Amino acid sequence: MAEEDTSMEMISFGIVAAAGQARSMAMEAIKTAREGDIAQARELLEESRKAGLEAHDEQTKLLSREAGGDHVPVDVLLVHSQDHLMTSMLCQDLAEELINLYEAVGKLS
């Protein structure tokens, strides 16, 4: 059981780390777009999405285990990691919209 707990902790920490990186890069993309470098902002957002996929892959491991009949225990750390993942995904969606808006405003100038 302790080995499973360690594995669960490592998966949860992996989700937190990758999702945190994804969120940070999405925020950097927004800042870069605000400064007028739309192409670089889009590159940063793409990098953010790649980091987000790492977090999503870790989550998928848990879903696959559960679907296979191996119950995944839910603890505060796992809930926290899921919160980070969802927040990063929302941040990416909003970053994309803001980059589009900054690009449109830039064309009007």
Side-chain angles (χ1 to χ4, degrees):
M1 186 75 156
E3 191 173 307
E4 179 182 314
D5 291 343
T6 302
S7 176
M8 283 300 301
E9 285 178 2
M10 293 309 293
I11 290 171
S12 295
F13 283 128
I15 292 170
V16 169
Q21 178 70 11
R23 182 187 171 282
S24 293
M25 294 181 86
M27 293 301 294
E28 185 66 24
I30 293 168
K31 178 179 178 262
T32 301
R34 185 177 62 240
E35 292 169 351
D37 192 346
I38 301 302
Q40 178 65 23
R42 291 195 189 286
E43 287 180 27
L44 286 165
L45 184 56
E46 181 59 30
E47 291 300 313
S48 169
R49 293 201 187 280
K50 287 178 185 176
L53 278 176
E54 290 179 35
H56 192 264
D57 287 348
E58 290 296 311
Q59 180 189 48
T60 300
K61 289 177 189 177
L62 297 177
L63 293 171
S64 294
R65 277 177 49 182
E66 187 75 34
D70 181 14
H71 177 67
V72 175
V74 177
D75 60 11
V76 174
L77 184 57
L78 179 60
V79 171
H80 179 67
S81 73
Q82 296 302 291
D83 182 47
H84 271 273
L85 178 56
M86 295 308 299
T87 301
S88 70
M89 292 169 71
L90 176 60
C91 190
Q92 290 168 338
D93 291 343
L94 290 173
E96 185 171 2
E97 290 300 317
L98 286 169
I99 291 167
N100 290 338
L101 284 172
Y102 281 120
E103 182 177 39
V105 168
K107 288 179 180 178
L108 293 175
S109 301

